[in-house]
Structure formats: C-alpha cells, structure tokens
Amino acid sequence: DGIEPDVLGLFVGSTREELDAGAPQLPSKIVLYLENLWEFSDCDREVFEDEVRITYLHELGHYLGLDEDDLSDRGLE
C-alpha cells in the first residue's frame, strides 16, 4: 500500500541511528524488486547487475541515515 508500482528498492524499519538511540526496534530490511529492476535495465544482464548493486547501496544508505541528497552526492540515485 502506498508503494509505486515501478519502485526498484525499499528500506523498511529502524535506521542504525534510531537503534543506537534506543528507539523502538522494528525489523530492518531492504527489499529489492527484481522484476522492476529487470524491466528498468531493459533485460540487459550487465545493466541489471549494476542497478541491483546501486539500488542495494542506496537502500543501505537509508539504513545508515543518509537522505536522498546524501545518496545523490554519492552517485546512488
């Protein structure tokens, strides 16, 4: 619910900073939508593998507390 149908990845749960601060703990997880990533890569295996890596690192950045601008600065858009 509320997730765009073409989303590539998603971070859900508590960030590392929230966990360190003693905030209520939700299970942290990264979800990769492989079918969407495959379509986004135009079914090109090399592009797909690169996009999986970028998407994973992008979502891991959210776990580490980075916002969209921080991730963009690191080339993880």
Side-chain angles (χ1 to χ4, degrees):
D1 293 331
I3 300 172
E4 296 295 323
D6 61 348
V7 70
L8 303 180
L10 185 65
F11 169 75
V12 182
S14 300
T15 65
R16 186 179 69 172
E17 184 177 294
E18 292 169 336
L19 295 172
D20 289 346
Q25 295 184 10
L26 297 173
S28 299
K29 67 180 177 179
I30 292 172
V31 180
L32 298 179
Y33 295 93
L34 298 178
E35 189 172 316
N36 291 353
L37 284 158
W38 183 248
E39 289 177 15
F40 181 81
S41 67
D42 291 326
C43 304
D44 181 306
R45 184 181 173 116
E46 287 184 39
V47 174
F48 172 75
E49 290 173 354
D50 192 47
E51 288 302 326
V52 167
R53 183 184 69 76
I54 290 169
T55 303
Y56 175 76
L57 292 174
H58 178 101
E59 300 308 330
L60 181 61
H62 285 308
Y63 167 74
L64 296 173
L66 302 176
D67 64 19
E68 294 299 326
D69 289 335
D70 295 327
L71 294 166
S72 181
D73 291 346
R74 290 166 172 79
L76 300 172
E77 307 169 45

